[in-house]
Amino acid sequence: VMPAGAQEVRIGARATPTLDPHFLFLDSNIAYHYHLFGRLVDRADDGRYVPGLAASWQLVDPQRWRFELRRDVVFHDGKPFTADDVVFSFARVPNVPNNPAPYTSYLTSVAAVEKVDDHTVDIVTTVPNPLLPVQTNGITIVAKHAVEGRSTADFATGVATIGTGPYRFVSHRQGERLVLERFDGFRGEPPYWQRVEFRILANNAARTAALLAGDVELIDNVSASDADRLGTTAGFAVHRAP
């Protein structure tokens, strides 16, 4: 049971995060990245694609999409988000060294990403591509000033983990925990929690035991047998979705 007015939540999570959002394409990594970073086009809870870091977009010719960027977005360190960050991020995706699972599938048909001005970017495609705006949802935008010249390892230390998302990086201990705090400069609706701590518990039984012991308030990837048991245990709720 969550204490009334609690501002901190502890989550027992199965997967260890890889905090470089362009390294190792996995659903679990993407889930972590959504807390920290933004994309040009977001996806609403009902599955619709909606404006994200881009306020709007339009097709200006059959092979050129123009994205108007939001002017009220800042990174976690207070520096403004601009077209330079978009151009840098798209260029970085296929060039992360030793990447076992790159995010290059989201660059299908992309020939160039061009800065028009500080708040306008054109994406040029090799062929007409009506799905291009949807594809941009898979490309996470990082801060050029924080990431340029740095490696994937620098995200684990927090040096490069500077995004525009609702939470900012606090600390990370590989294989143990990730701590985030609410970013008060976030452009959207402030998230409910002030502080979120992900405790990495790879074993299904260990996550359930931590929940029952009160060491965490939420767990993910609940096993089918534990879900049935927890669903009939007073004080716990099991959320299911296809």
Side-chain angles (χ1 to χ4, degrees):
V1 177
M2 298 298 300
Q7 283 294 290
E8 179 174 346
V9 65
R10 300 166 299 176
I11 302 171
R14 179 175 66 181
T16 297
T18 298
L19 295 177
D20 181 342
H22 301 152
F23 184 87
L24 194 55
F25 185 176
L26 291 175
D27 286 347
S28 57
N29 282 336
I30 294 170
Y32 284 113
H33 301 158
Y34 263 88
H35 299 301
L36 291 157
F37 301 96
R39 290 141 298 281
L40 292 180
V41 176
D42 277 338
R43 196 169 188 182
D45 291 342
D46 62 5
R48 291 179 301 112
Y49 290 94
V50 297
L53 293 176
S56 64
W57 52 89
Q58 63 177 325
L59 192 64
V60 294
D61 72 39
Q63 292 174 225
R64 181 179 294 267
W65 286 89
R66 178 157 295 171
F67 291 79
E68 298 295 337
L69 307 181
R70 295 187 187 273
R71 297 169 182 262
D72 59 348
V73 176
V74 295
F75 286 100
H76 297 155
D77 60 1
K79 294 186 178 179
F81 157 70
T82 72
D84 291 327
D85 302 299
V86 177
V87 173
F88 173 80
S89 297
F90 273 78
R92 183 177 184 268
V93 167
N95 293 304
V96 177
N98 305 312
N99 194 349
Y103 288 73
T104 47
S105 60
Y106 291 107
L107 297 176
T108 300
S109 85
V110 174
V113 180
E114 300 172 351
K115 174 181 176 180
V116 178
D117 59 40
D118 280 349
H119 297 98
T120 311
V121 170
D122 280 0
I123 299 182
V124 182
T125 59
T126 55
V127 294
N129 182 359
L131 296 179
L132 190 279
V134 171
Q135 285 179 216
T136 67
N137 177 254
I139 303 297
T140 301
I141 305 303
V142 298
K144 179 181 179 181
H145 66 271
V147 177
E148 191 169 30
R150 292 197 165 112
S151 69
T152 291
D154 290 312
F155 284 87
T157 66
V159 174
T161 316
I162 296 173
T164 59
Y167 287 95
R168 65 177 187 83
F169 176 97
V170 174
S171 65
H172 177 228
R173 189 173 297 170
Q174 183 70 21
E176 293 186 25
R177 69 188 62 204
L178 169 68
V179 179
L180 309 178
E181 282 189 351
R182 184 166 57 207
F183 174 43
D184 292 333
F186 180 57
R187 63 165 179 83
E189 182 178 348
Y192 179 80
W193 304 105
Q194 171 64 31
R195 183 179 175 92
V196 179
E197 179 180 320
F198 292 95
R199 297 188 181 179
I200 311 306
L201 301 168
N203 180 271
N204 290 345
R207 285 195 306 282
T208 299
L211 181 69
L212 291 169
D215 295 332
V216 297
E217 287 79 42
L218 296 169
I219 61 173
D220 65 9
N221 292 282
V222 185
S223 69
S225 58
D226 284 347
D228 291 340
R229 177 160 62 103
L230 290 168
T232 59
T233 303
F236 297 94
V238 177
H239 302 272
R240 305 172 189 263

